Amino acid sequence: MKKSIYFLLTLFFGLQLIFSCGDDVPTFEELKSAESKIIKRIIAEKGIEVLKEYPSDGIFGDNQFVELESGIYLNVVDSGNGDRAKYNSTTLLVRIAGSIYISADSTESFNTFVNTALPFEFKYGLASYVKDAHVASFDSYYYFFGTGIESVLQYVGDSAVVKMIVPGYAEINNSRASSLHQYSNQYRYYPIYFDKVRYIYYK
């Protein structure tokens, strides 16, 4: 009986604490707005020209990016050999380099093109499952990997090279709810600028 009362009291005060803190948690729109300011800074710093539509000939200028419906900004450096990945069938090896924007004035760089780094491996359509499995095992190497990388495969083929800006909210929209922790916590979305992403079909 005492244990039951203790449990109920703990639950009651725990819920009170949660609800009392609720007003301090930013809304989705507030988080998205704050991240948008950082993305505007990235665009200005990199001298990016944002295109209204995907180029009809598929050719991008060096600093031309198109904003996709997902919120991702894409520049295709090399569209590859024309062989498109097959959903839930093609396995890819991907290497990436770029920076994650921790705040308006703080970045952290990463590069998996070095010889000591392994490429990310995933089957097209299952990137979120691969991400979640590695996050669950506390594998920090997959911190910069996510469905944003996978989502542009409809535009490019084997051996393609692209540049991207992947907002944290876009990553969430393209994956399951657990993706909330990929580039964000409950107070911040972290956009990532990919200076180079290379796709190789493995099998």
Side-chain angles (χ1 to χ4, degrees), residues 143-199:
Y143 186 76
F144 307 106
F145 174 79
T147 58
I149 291 173
E150 176 187 68
S151 68
V152 302
L153 285 171
Q154 60 182 300
Y155 301 101
V156 297
D158 185 17
S159 301
V161 176
V162 305
K163 294 188 285 187
M164 290 190 291
I165 300 174
V166 178
Y169 75 85
E171 182 70 23
I172 293 165
N173 290 342
N174 280 287
S175 187
R176 302 197 307 281
S178 57
S179 295
L180 177 64
H181 301 289
Q182 289 185 352
Y183 307 126
S184 66
N185 56 32
Q186 61 177 331
Y187 301 111
R188 172 69 57 79
Y189 290 152
Y190 300 144
I192 295 184
Y193 175 76
F194 291 95
D195 187 56
K196 186 177 182 180
V197 180
R198 186 180 68 196
Y199 303 91

Side-chain angles (χ1 to χ4, degrees), residues 77-92:
V77 178
D78 185 336
S79 60
N81 61 16
D83 183 14
R84 293 290 192 264
K86 295 178 176 61
Y87 196 81
N88 204 27
S89 175
T90 304
T91 298
L92 299 97

Side-chain angles (χ1 to χ4, degrees), residues 44-200:
E45 282 184 350
K46 305 295 181 181
I48 291 173
E49 175 191 354
V50 179
L51 304 178
K52 294 182 178 179
E53 297 180 352
Y54 199 97
S56 57
D57 58 3
I59 299 175
F60 289 76
D62 288 343
N63 287 331
Q64 290 182 330
F65 285 65
V66 63
E67 184 179 5
L68 304 176
E69 191 174 334
S70 63
I72 291 173
Y73 294 80
L74 173 67
N75 170 280
V76 178
V77 178
D78 185 336
S79 60
N81 61 16
D83 183 14
R84 293 290 192 264
K86 295 178 176 61
Y87 196 81
N88 204 27
S89 175
T90 304
T91 298
L92 299 97
L93 300 178
V94 177
R95 290 189 181 274
I96 61 176
S99 301
I100 184 169
Y101 283 68
I102 305 300
S103 66
D105 55 3
S106 177
T107 63
E108 180 182 338
S109 298
F110 54 88
N111 183 2
T112 69
F113 283 91
V114 296
N115 292 333
T116 54
L118 294 173
F120 298 105
E121 180 178 342
F122 68 99
K123 183 176 288 188
Y124 183 29
L126 301 179
S128 62
Y129 292 91
V130 172
K131 171 77 175 188
D132 290 348
H134 285 273
V135 168
S137 64
F138 301 99
D139 186 352
S140 60
Y141 187 68
Y142 275 73
Y143 186 76
F144 307 106
F145 174 79
T147 58
I149 291 173
E150 176 187 68
S151 68
V152 302
L153 285 171
Q154 60 182 300
Y155 301 101
V156 297
D158 185 17
S159 301
V161 176
V162 305
K163 294 188 285 187
M164 290 190 291
I165 300 174
V166 178
Y169 75 85
E171 182 70 23
I172 293 165
N173 290 342
N174 280 287
S175 187
R176 302 197 307 281
S178 57
S179 295
L180 177 64
H181 301 289
Q182 289 185 352
Y183 307 126
S184 66
N185 56 32
Q186 61 177 331
Y187 301 111
R188 172 69 57 79
Y189 290 152
Y190 300 144
I192 295 184
Y193 175 76
F194 291 95
D195 187 56
K196 186 177 182 180
V197 180
R198 186 180 68 196
Y199 303 91
I200 299 294

Side-chain angles (χ1 to χ4, degrees), residues 1-14:
M1 181 66 175
K2 288 183 178 180
K3 288 183 179 179
S4 297
I5 293 173
Y6 177 77
F7 171 78
L8 289 173
L9 287 173
T10 302
L11 179 62
F12 173 76
F13 287 113

